[in-house]
């Protein structure tokens, strides 16, 4: 009966009119700026801060290329040879097509800001947890649920608004880092492409898209934590429990996993926090924690978990009586 | 002239664990009346109301609002209902106006101008753009009423609405409810354990105890049932006592220099004539109507909650 967009509008109003949210947004912006300043003035050993990277890079790449070729001839290990070959082809491509490496440019800085997605994850967890449990603690749930909108619709609008907050924060992080990066590191290399090596060929990608895909990869972890918090919040109606438990899990999850991985407890791969890191499958980000894990496996396990979390939230939120004065 | 009831419940029952909180309640509330839902704390008032507005599930029985089954078509049935359950909790970090916008977005086909209309109706125009956390309880109550009336409901359900209001606020609220029922033909259901208040506010009263609806009566019926007591202010008091006791053949009680007797209404003129004949100076004879409180205690046996 009621327009979904209006419900989402309501949830957005309740998110962005809170001082807490404004503080979180401010913190993210400050963190990005602070990180940029820190990077620029603390790392003197890189070319960061040098004004003349456009001229210097060719000499350096040529030098690297020569060394790599020498190494390649001597090297016996097949894996290392493969890596060296990749480097050689990439560097040759750079020289041929005049594409400077991102080192010292705004892009190198931005590639590092994806670490802030965990901060966004924390903030989104808070927003999501308050979005459901807050209504109970404020007592407003008693007015919210006696309207011509089903509980499912209300829960869905809250979920959408929460995810919307996360996406908004990621876009904000991107824009702020880009602006700060351009101011501090200059626009040299801004238009250069990101190179990847696939099956013996070099592929050019847009740098902006590459950074976004880095953010996207980091967001998988965030999405899981947020949905978990959402469930706890709907089931226990306590935002502090939801926030606390989610943060606890995301800290301890990693430790438990490396322990299980080290002890070769293979069923650990079915735990949800074993499957939130997609980097091993997509970029060159190391090995997955357990043997036999593939991209498809992780996607499946994770989807099953998330669906269960969402189903529990939905079921409890729909069925639960709103009890007296709590 | 029997109108169609706005609210009808049939065998409404709520069981939590093994305890019957609400036990087969049949209620009918009609347009234009203020219905009082009276009972001691823990009798099942709030549990009943929670089921009526869909906050709690119905164990057994049915609720029809404007003829629509609440359990089967919640979104439609509830669109006829405006309500406040317990305190009117609002989003304190939003302004009064933003709160109303929030609820306005949740109803269908209501023009935005209605927000200003209800704001004026509850007399909040001057403070509507202030944050709700700066509001007094009375102002929050007004805002609560405003949000409940936003979609022009046919049934207004208010759970313990005067809790925490000062006497002036209670009075204003009472007049306001009566006006709504009279002028807009709204059916109003008010729950309370404050008897004196219900007496002034309601047209009909239902008494609930231990989850059962033990009595539903018109307010006037409620008061006039039973024998009326008569308070006689006359002089000299000793002689009055003699005459009255002789005339009625029962004992009279002296109370603050007046005489209190139980007497049928029909006997009052004759008694008065007798007093005058005996040369007694009669200053006043007044009927002491039993208060609702007496009736209530009588009915519920003055028992404590158990």
């Amino acid at each position: 009966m009621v327009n979904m967009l209006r419900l989402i509008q309501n949830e957005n109003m309740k998110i962005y009119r809170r001082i807490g949210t404004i503080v979180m947004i401010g913190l993210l912006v400050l963190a990005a700026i602070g990180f940029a300043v820190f990077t620029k003035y603390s790392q003197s050993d890189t070319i960061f801060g040098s004004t003349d990277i456009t001229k210097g890079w060719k000499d350096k790449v040529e030098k690297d290329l020569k060394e790599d070729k020498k190494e390649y001839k001597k090297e016996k290990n097949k894996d290392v040879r493969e890596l060296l070959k990749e480097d050689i082809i990439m560097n040759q491509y750079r020289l041929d097509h005049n594409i400077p490496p991102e080192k010292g440019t705004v892009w190198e800085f931005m590639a590092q800001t994806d670490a802030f997605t965990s901060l966004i994850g924390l903030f989104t967890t808070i927003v999501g947890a308050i979005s459901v449990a807050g209504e109970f603690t404020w007592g407003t749930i008693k007015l919210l649920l006696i309207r011509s909108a089903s509980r499912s619709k209300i829960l869905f609008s809250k979920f959408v608004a929460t995810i919307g907050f996360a996406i908004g924060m990621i876009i904000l992080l991107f824009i702020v880092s880009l602006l700060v990066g351009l101011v501090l590191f200059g626009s040299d290399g801004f238009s250069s492409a990101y190179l990847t090596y696939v099956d013996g060929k070099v592929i050019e990608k847009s740098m902006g898209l590459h950074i976004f895909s880095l953010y996207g990869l980091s967001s998988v972890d965030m999405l899981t934590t947020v949905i978990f918090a959402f469930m706890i919040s709907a089931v226990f109606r306590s935002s502090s429990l939801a926030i606390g438990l989610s943060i606890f899990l995301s800290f301890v999850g990693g430790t438990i996993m490396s322990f299980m991985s080290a002890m070769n407890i293979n069923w650990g791969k079915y735990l949800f926090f074993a499957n939130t890191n997609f980097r091993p499958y997509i970029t060159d980000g190391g090995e997955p924690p357990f043997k036999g894990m593939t991209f498809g496996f992780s996607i499946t396990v994770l989807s099953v978990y998330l669906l269960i979390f969402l189903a529990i939230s939905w079921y409890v939120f729909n069925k639960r009586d709103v009890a007296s004065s709590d | 002239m029997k109108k169609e009831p706005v609210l009808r419940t049939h065998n409404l029952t709520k069981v939590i664990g093994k305890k019957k909180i609400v036990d087969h309640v049949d209620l009918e509330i009609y347009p234009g009346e203020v219905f009082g839902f009276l009972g001691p704390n823990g009798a099942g008032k709030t549990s009943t109301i929670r089921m009526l507005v869909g906050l709690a599930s119905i164990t057994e029985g049915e609720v029809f609002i404007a003829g629509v089954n609440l359990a089967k078509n919640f979104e439609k049935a509830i669109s006829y209902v405006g309500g406040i359950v317990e305190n009117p909790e609002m989003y304190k970090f939003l302004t009064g106006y933003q709160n109303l916008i929030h609820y306005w977005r949740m109803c269908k086909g209501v023009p935005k101008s209605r927000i200003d209309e209800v704001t004026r109706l509850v007399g909040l125009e001057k403070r509507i753009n202030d944050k709700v956390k700066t509001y007094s309880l009375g102002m929050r109550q007004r805002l609560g009423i405003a949000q409940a009336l936003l979609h022009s409901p046919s049934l207004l359900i208010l759970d313990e609405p005067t809790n925490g209001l000062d006497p002036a606020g209670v009075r204003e609220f009472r007049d306001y409810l009566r006006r709504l029922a009279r002028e807009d033909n709204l059916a109003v259901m008010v729950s309370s354990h404050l008897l004196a208040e219900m007496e002034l506010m309601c047209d009909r009263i239902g008494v609930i105890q231990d989850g059962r609806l033990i009595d539903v009566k018109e307010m006037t019926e409620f008061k006039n049932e039973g024998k009326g007591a008569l308070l006689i202010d006359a002089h000299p008091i000793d002689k009055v006592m003699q005459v009255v006791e002789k005339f009625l053949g029962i004992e009279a009680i002296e109370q603050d220099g007046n005489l209190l007797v139980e007497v049928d209404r029909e006997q009052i003129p004759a008694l008065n004539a007798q007093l005058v004949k005996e040369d007694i100076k009669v200053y006043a004879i007044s009927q002491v109507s039993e208060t609702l409180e007496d009736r209530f205690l009588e009915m519920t046996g003055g028992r404590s909650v158990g």
Side-chain angles (χ1 to χ4, degrees):
Chain A
M1 300 270 276
V2 171
N3 194 334
M4 198 65 217
L5 276 177
R6 282 173 152 200
L7 292 183
I8 296 171
Q9 237 181 323
N10 269 348
E11 294 309 321
N12 281 339
M13 176 168 77
K14 286 184 272 185
I15 291 175
Y16 300 106
R17 294 275 178 188
R18 273 205 315 272
I19 292 176
T21 316
I22 306 299
V23 170
M24 288 192 277
I25 294 172
L27 277 179
L28 182 77
V29 171
L30 277 183
I33 295 175
F35 179 66
V37 172
F38 179 79
T39 315
K40 176 157 171 112
Y41 295 107
S42 69
Q43 300 184 332
S44 49
D45 56 326
T46 65
I47 351 177
F48 272 115
S50 94
T51 47
D52 202 13
I53 46 167
T54 31
K55 278 178 191 162
W57 74 270
K58 275 192 179 168
D59 295 340
K60 193 174 176 302
V61 169
E62 263 165 30
K63 212 174 111 203
D64 283 354
L65 197 61
K66 268 181 205 158
E67 273 171 23
D68 281 350
K69 278 177 178 165
K70 246 189 259 169
E71 288 277 318
Y72 184 76
K73 277 173 195 156
K74 277 189 277 175
E75 188 59 56
K76 300 244 162 59
N77 186 310
K78 203 179 147 211
D79 290 344
V80 180
R81 276 176 71 94
E82 193 56 36
L83 282 176
L84 283 170
K85 193 182 152 202
E86 188 183 320
D87 264 2
I88 291 166
I89 293 177
M90 289 269 263
N91 279 337
Q92 193 60 57
Y93 191 92
R94 281 194 193 287
L95 289 173
D96 294 350
H97 294 81
N98 198 22
I99 300 169
E102 57 262 36
K103 199 140 187 63
T105 68
V106 58
W107 296 118
E108 192 199 13
F109 160 70
M110 288 204 59
Q112 289 166 22
T113 56
D114 80 312
F116 286 111
T117 49
S118 58
L119 191 64
I120 296 178
L122 173 68
F123 291 163
T124 312
T125 303
I126 294 173
V127 164
I130 290 179
S131 154
V132 181
E135 302 276 358
F136 286 95
T137 33
W138 300 326
T140 45
I141 191 81
K142 288 176 287 186
L143 290 182
L144 188 70
L145 294 186
I146 60 169
R147 309 273 145 185
S148 192
S150 68
R151 292 189 183 190
S152 305
K153 281 184 195 162
I154 287 172
L155 189 69
F156 183 69
S157 68
K158 286 184 176 301
F159 184 68
V160 171
T162 306
I163 299 301
F165 173 79
I167 294 172
M169 290 289 265
I170 287 175
I171 294 173
L172 181 73
L173 175 66
F174 184 85
I175 292 173
V176 171
S177 329
L178 186 62
L179 290 181
V180 178
L182 283 177
V183 169
L184 287 183
F185 304 110
S187 57
D188 287 330
F190 180 69
S191 55
S192 82
Y194 176 71
L195 301 183
T196 48
Y197 177 81
V198 182
D199 296 332
K201 272 185 212 152
V202 177
I203 294 173
E204 278 186 44
K205 275 190 193 165
S206 141
M207 265 294 181
L209 272 180
H210 167 64
I211 303 289
F212 249 112
S213 63
L214 282 182
Y215 283 9
L217 277 176
S218 313
S219 305
V220 176
D221 191 22
M222 172 174 92
L223 185 75
T224 330
T225 318
V226 167
I227 292 181
F228 180 77
F230 209 70
M231 173 185 71
I232 299 293
S233 156
V235 172
F236 295 103
R237 292 173 293 178
S238 154
S239 47
S240 37
L241 185 71
I243 296 166
L245 214 54
S246 313
I247 294 174
F248 175 77
L249 259 189
S250 56
F251 274 124
V252 171
T255 317
I256 294 176
M257 259 204 2
S258 35
F259 173 76
M260 291 182 103
S261 169
M263 302 292 286
N264 257 326
I265 307 172
N266 210 32
W267 58 263
K269 67 181 175 187
Y270 295 107
L271 294 174
F272 80 85
F273 37 78
N275 293 287
T276 51
N277 186 5
F278 284 2
R279 275 159 201 272
Y281 314 126
I282 292 178
T283 60
D284 37 355
E287 290 288 304
F290 296 97
K291 265 183 285 174
M293 288 176 69
T294 61
F295 184 57
F297 173 84
S298 284
I299 287 267
T300 314
V301 171
L302 204 58
S303 310
V304 168
Y305 269 108
L306 295 189
L307 279 179
I308 291 174
F309 290 167
L310 287 175
I312 291 176
S313 323
W314 175 79
Y315 181 80
V316 173
F317 191 74
N318 254 306
K319 290 293 164 198
R320 175 73 60 83
D321 282 359
V322 178
S324 309
S325 322
D326 65 347
Chain B
M1 49 137 244
K2 208 61 175 163
K3 288 175 278 188
E4 274 295 301
V6 179
L7 171 77
R8 188 163 70 82
T9 73
H10 180 63
N11 276 341
L12 188 62
T13 303
K14 176 79 184 171
V15 180
I16 297 177
K18 280 183 181 164
K19 202 172 180 305
K20 270 193 181 165
I21 309 289
V22 177
D23 192 357
H24 295 88
V25 167
D26 293 321
L27 267 182
E28 281 186 351
I29 299 179
Y30 297 92
E33 76 169 345
V34 180
F35 182 87
F37 197 44
L38 187 64
N41 286 329
K45 295 187 302 278
T46 299
S47 297
T48 308
I49 285 181
R50 277 168 193 282
M51 283 191 281
L52 295 182
V53 295
L55 286 178
S57 61
I58 296 166
T59 311
E60 197 195 320
E62 284 153 326
V63 175
F64 295 93
I65 296 164
V68 181
N69 189 320
L70 183 77
K72 291 205 179 107
N73 195 347
F74 175 78
E75 292 190 27
K76 182 155 171 54
I78 205 71
S79 66
Y80 298 111
V81 183
I84 306 176
V85 180
E86 293 171 323
N87 298 323
E89 306 287 0
M90 298 289 170
Y91 300 101
K92 294 199 173 75
F93 51 88
L94 299 179
T95 66
Y97 189 77
Q98 286 163 346
N99 266 286
L100 290 179
I101 283 269
H102 177 266
Y103 293 115
W104 170 77
R105 289 202 188 111
M106 299 187 75
C107 31
K108 208 181 148 202
V110 177
K112 210 168 182 176
S113 58
R114 177 74 183 157
I115 297 177
D116 301 323
E117 213 174 301
V118 288
T119 306
R120 265 197 311 278
L121 209 65
V122 295
L124 265 183
E125 2 6 359
K126 282 195 187 121
R127 296 291 305 275
I128 197 69
N129 287 318
D130 293 347
K131 289 233 162 86
V132 171
K133 62 179 157 215
T134 66
Y135 282 20
S136 68
L137 186 60
M139 289 164 68
R140 265 182 258 163
Q141 199 85 36
R142 285 168 191 236
L143 191 60
I145 303 273
Q147 65 79 26
L149 293 173
L150 200 55
H151 52 299
S152 316
S154 359
L155 173 66
L156 190 61
I157 297 182
L158 305 169
D159 185 21
E160 309 268 358
T162 52
N163 257 1
L165 285 186
D166 58 19
V170 171
R171 194 203 160 97
E172 193 186 346
F173 182 77
R174 201 168 60 211
D175 296 343
Y176 186 61
L177 276 194
R178 296 226 50 103
R179 208 171 71 224
L180 276 177
R182 208 172 47 241
E183 288 171 12
D184 299 342
N185 211 26
L186 207 67
V188 184
M189 178 178 186
V190 187
S191 87
S192 179
H193 61 276
L194 297 169
L195 313 149
E197 222 173 85
M198 293 292 237
E199 219 170 336
L200 294 165
M201 192 159 31
C202 303
D203 302 305
R204 276 198 314 150
I205 286 203
V207 179
I208 185 167
Q209 199 201 5
D210 293 336
R212 277 189 301 274
L213 194 65
I214 53 178
D215 206 358
V216 181
K217 282 215 168 67
E218 301 278 328
M219 199 63 238
T220 44
E221 264 181 86
F222 243 115
K223 285 201 232 171
N224 294 340
E225 246 179 29
K227 268 195 170 175
L230 210 60
L231 199 67
I232 304 169
D233 182 5
H235 201 76
I237 190 82
D238 299 339
K239 201 171 172 195
V240 179
M241 181 115 67
Q242 266 176 27
V243 172
V244 170
E245 286 186 349
K246 197 172 148 211
F247 183 80
L248 296 171
I250 54 163
E251 211 172 314
I253 307 152
E254 199 191 321
Q255 189 187 333
D256 307 330
N258 295 327
L259 210 63
L260 196 65
V261 287
E262 271 202 1
V263 62
D264 286 339
R265 198 179 143 81
E266 272 62 46
Q267 284 181 293
I268 298 172
L271 178 65
N272 186 29
Q274 187 65 30
L275 289 172
V276 174
K277 218 168 85 185
E278 299 274 349
D279 231 8
I280 291 169
K281 289 178 197 151
V282 179
Y283 297 102
I285 296 178
S286 53
Q287 200 160 13
V288 187
S289 66
E290 218 181 354
T291 62
L292 190 59
E293 186 156 354
D294 302 325
R295 289 281 303 135
F296 177 71
L297 288 174
E298 204 177 289
M299 266 195 290
T300 59
R303 279 193 288 144
S304 57
V305 189

